[in-house]
Amino acid sequence: MSVSFSIIVPAFDEGQTIGEVVRSIVGIANSELIVVDDGSRDDTAEEARRSGAEVVRMERNMGKGHALDAGVERATADILVFLDADVRGMDEEKIRALVRPVGEGAVMCVGVRHGLFHLLNRTSRWVPLIAKLSGQRCIRRRLWDRARRHCRGYRVEAALNYFASRSGEIAYIHLPGLSHRIKERKRGLAAGVRQRLRMIGHIVASAVSVRLSRWRDR
């Protein structure tokens, strides 16, 4: 099945990795590649543009959710692929593997890096949470439209998981060979730990807010 899709990569201070990410997936047939520079202080935008991506530049850092929303606004396709800006080992085959289940009717497809996590996702509703929060995923635009008001900061994946679970089929696939730089290595130990704790707080807040909205909307 040949379908058109938009690849959106939110990036903040990812000048060291964004060029490699873009070059690994740019030029895939029936796709467009948009990097959203979320107010970076380094050369993220220049590296992404030089490597072949269309770049949306945000004047100040607004967080992952706002960056993805800016990318969705620019995107032209109904099928949207979200990728982390520090993921390594991505290629056309893996992108198409993410897109295929959505093209065939799933509301969302999540790419899981570890085979064990993929197995547990197929057999357990609750574990492991980290796999269900993968940044590598493909969705229909209508899912973003439904979840977007809850997709702020690091709440994106938790909010999408919740609304997708109430909208239709979710597919999980194993994407072998992927890696990424951990926050503590990118930002330094102290800053990386603070960012990780903030991410956890956002995830918990998202889980609460989407469930409260369920009751308000009744």
Side-chain angles (χ1 to χ4, degrees):
M1 177 182 294
S2 179
V3 296
S4 297
F5 54 92
S6 299
I7 305 170
I8 301 170
V9 184
F12 174 63
D13 286 353
E14 297 288 359
Q16 294 184 8
T17 58
I18 192 62
E20 177 183 346
V21 172
V22 169
R23 288 189 295 273
S24 69
I25 56 175
V26 70
I28 298 174
N30 300 313
S31 76
E32 60 182 353
L33 174 55
I34 301 167
V35 171
V36 183
D37 179 14
D38 188 19
S40 296
R41 299 158 297 186
D42 65 2
D43 61 349
T44 294
E46 292 79 7
E47 284 294 325
R49 191 175 290 111
R50 187 180 302 120
S51 299
E54 177 182 356
V55 175
V56 176
R57 168 73 177 168
M58 302 180 73
E59 292 303 317
R60 61 190 181 92
N61 181 242
M62 297 291 289
K64 184 175 183 179
H66 283 90
L68 282 172
D69 201 33
V72 172
E73 286 292 316
R74 180 68 65 90
T76 61
D78 179 60
I79 294 178
L80 308 170
V81 176
F82 297 158
L83 299 180
D84 290 335
D86 60 354
V87 67
R88 288 171 167 164
M90 187 60 71
D91 55 31
E92 179 174 352
E93 182 180 357
K94 295 183 180 69
I95 293 289
R96 293 201 178 278
L98 273 174
V99 171
R100 190 172 299 112
V102 177
E104 294 174 350
V107 69
M108 181 171 71
C109 179
V110 180
V112 181
R113 289 193 298 128
H114 300 291
L116 176 60
F117 285 177
H118 178 52
L119 174 63
L120 290 173
N121 265 314
R122 294 169 61 90
T123 58
S124 170
R125 180 180 177 184
W126 299 108
V127 294
L129 179 60
I130 190 171
K132 296 181 185 295
L133 297 177
S134 168
Q136 283 46 256
R137 60 185 61 211
C138 179
I139 67 171
R140 289 278 180 182
R141 184 182 290 267
R142 65 176 180 270
L143 176 60
W144 182 259
D145 292 340
R146 187 176 183 193
R148 64 182 296 184
R149 67 190 177 100
H150 300 282
C151 293
R152 295 295 175 257
Y154 292 108
R155 303 181 184 190
V156 173
E157 285 82 16
L160 288 173
N161 289 347
Y162 176 79
F163 284 100
S165 69
R166 299 174 62 80
S167 302
E169 177 190 355
I170 303 175
Y172 290 93
I173 63 169
H174 181 209
L175 297 177
L178 294 186
S179 64
H180 72 98
R181 296 176 66 206
I182 63 173
K183 292 174 174 55
E184 289 79 3
R185 183 170 295 176
K186 289 191 293 184
R187 315 296 185 202
L189 181 59
V193 169
R194 286 195 300 271
Q195 188 173 0
R196 188 172 298 280
L197 291 174
R198 186 164 62 251
M199 178 181 69
I200 293 171
H202 282 202
I203 291 168
V204 172
S206 177
V208 172
S209 69
V210 294
R211 282 161 177 78
L212 287 176
S213 72
R214 172 185 174 184
W215 295 103
R216 287 196 300 266
D217 294 343
R218 282 184 171 181

